[in-house]
Amino acid sequence: MGTENVPSSIVQFAQLDKLLNLGRANSLWPMTFGLACCAIEMMCTGGSRFDISRFGAEVFRPSPRQSDVMIVAGTINKKLEMAVKTLYDQMPEPKWVIAMGNCAISGGPFKVKENYNVVEGADKLFPVDVYIPGCPPRPEALLEGIMTLEEKITGKRRWPRVHAG
């Protein structure tokens, strides 16, 4: 598909959208929201050793109306299901969700037949943009998840991927 038949005003808005997405990706404001042991790793990521502020995501907001990223860090129980959904609904658009840890992704070790009160993944409640596996995942994994979310927003990666081996 060529751009020869596209009016110039649309092209200018495309450039503005790129600029807005770059600003959004470099100033993510996560919600202060932890449900279980993964929240401790999320707090460590905000500390000086891992320094989440390098990515513009250090401003953990206490209100969903001031946040654009929900990091679901831990197990969602049926008792909390509607509260978590309400927090997601109160976030302004555009909004993104990171599911951190096996419990947030699939229910984790609590997903057994006898345990009826665990929601089997945050994606049962709302769309999830980035999944971070682990029990609990390390702070470096959350930083990688934030970079993956930035890549999803802008279409470009800030730093090249490093592969082990």
Side-chain angles (χ1 to χ4, degrees):
M1 182 168 147
T3 58
E4 59 275 347
N5 296 328
V6 178
S8 63
S9 63
I10 294 176
V11 173
Q12 290 172 356
F13 286 132
Q15 294 301 321
L16 179 63
D17 285 341
K18 286 182 183 177
L19 182 65
L20 289 174
N21 286 337
L22 183 66
R24 287 178 181 138
N26 289 316
S27 62
L28 296 172
W29 286 8
M31 185 170 22
T32 305
F33 181 69
L35 295 170
C37 49
C38 290
I40 297 169
E41 299 295 325
M42 183 176 66
M43 289 181 247
C44 289
T45 310
S48 60
R49 181 172 182 189
F50 298 101
D51 193 22
I52 198 172
S53 62
R54 292 177 289 167
F55 306 99
E58 79 276 7
V59 184
F60 278 88
R61 304 310 302 175
S63 168
R65 291 179 181 91
Q66 300 171 346
S67 305
D68 53 7
V69 177
M70 175 186 276
I71 301 174
V72 181
T75 311
I76 302 173
N77 294 321
K78 301 268 181 170
K79 188 175 183 179
L80 288 173
E81 182 177 10
M82 290 313 296
V84 173
K85 180 76 172 126
T86 301
L87 288 173
Y88 175 79
D89 291 338
Q90 289 177 349
M91 291 172 60
E93 292 289 339
K95 55 188 170 186
W96 300 279
V97 176
I98 297 175
M100 181 178 177
N102 293 343
C103 294
I105 293 172
S106 65
F110 305 107
K111 183 182 152 186
V112 293
K113 185 175 71 170
E114 295 82 18
N115 204 355
Y116 59 87
N117 66 330
V118 174
V119 176
E120 295 179 1
D123 54 357
K124 303 278 191 245
L125 304 176
F126 35 73
V128 174
D129 297 296
V130 177
Y131 295 94
I132 303 173
C135 186
R138 299 259 318 139
E140 294 93 344
L142 180 56
L143 293 177
E144 177 65 30
I146 289 172
M147 286 192 289
T148 303
L149 183 59
E150 287 178 358
E151 182 180 6
K152 186 173 186 172
I153 294 169
T154 62
K156 291 185 253 178
R157 183 140 173 108
R158 186 187 295 229
W159 291 293
R161 292 191 190 275
V162 178
H163 299 285

